[in-house]
């Protein structure tokens, strides 16, 4: 039971880090040339596969896919935290 609790806690932290990566990737679009740096390309390679699942959220010239991706990840984090509360002995 303790191992499962630790795994769920680790998964929660990894999802939080992924949300931070999505935010960084989104903010780099406002900085000229930041997306073309090595760091920008690295973050984009990590974020793009998941974010591309939500490309239906483009309205005109505004891309809401990062927002939808963050909302989905936050819902997953809420589920993980809910199951952690249930599993506490």
């Amino acid at each position: 039971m303790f191992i499962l609790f630790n795994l769920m806690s680790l998964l929660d932290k990894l999802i939080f880090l992924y949300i931070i990566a999505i935010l960084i990737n989104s903010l780099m679009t406002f900085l000229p040339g930041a997306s073309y740096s090595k760091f920008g390309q690295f973050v984009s390679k990590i974020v793009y596969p998941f974010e591309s699942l939500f490309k239906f959220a483009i309205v005109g010239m505004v891309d809401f896919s990062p927002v939808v991706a963050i909302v989905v990840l936050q819902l997953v984090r809420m589920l993980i935290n809910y199951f952690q509360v249930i599993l506490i002995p």
Side-chain angles (χ1 to χ4, degrees):
M1 189 65 72
F2 183 71
I3 295 172
L4 181 62
F5 184 78
N6 283 340
L7 286 175
M8 292 176 81
S9 178
L10 177 65
L11 183 60
D12 181 51
K13 287 178 176 75
L14 289 174
I15 291 172
F16 177 73
L17 289 175
Y18 199 76
I19 289 172
I20 297 298
I22 291 173
L23 289 172
I24 289 171
N25 190 45
S26 297
L27 290 174
M28 282 194 306
T29 61
F30 294 108
L31 302 172
S35 297
Y36 301 110
S37 67
K38 292 285 185 185
F39 178 72
Q41 290 175 358
F42 173 73
V43 172
S44 187
K45 282 182 186 178
I46 291 173
V47 168
Y48 183 75
F50 183 70
E51 198 175 286
S52 67
L53 297 173
F54 306 105
K55 287 297 180 186
F56 62 86
I58 297 175
V59 178
M61 292 182 66
V62 181
D63 186 6
F64 289 104
S65 57
V67 176
V68 176
I70 289 173
V71 168
V72 168
L73 289 173
Q74 281 295 103
L75 289 173
V76 171
R77 286 185 72 207
M78 288 172 56
L79 281 172
I80 290 171
N81 289 328
Y82 176 74
F83 285 121
Q84 280 181 336
V85 169
I86 289 175
L87 294 176
I88 291 176

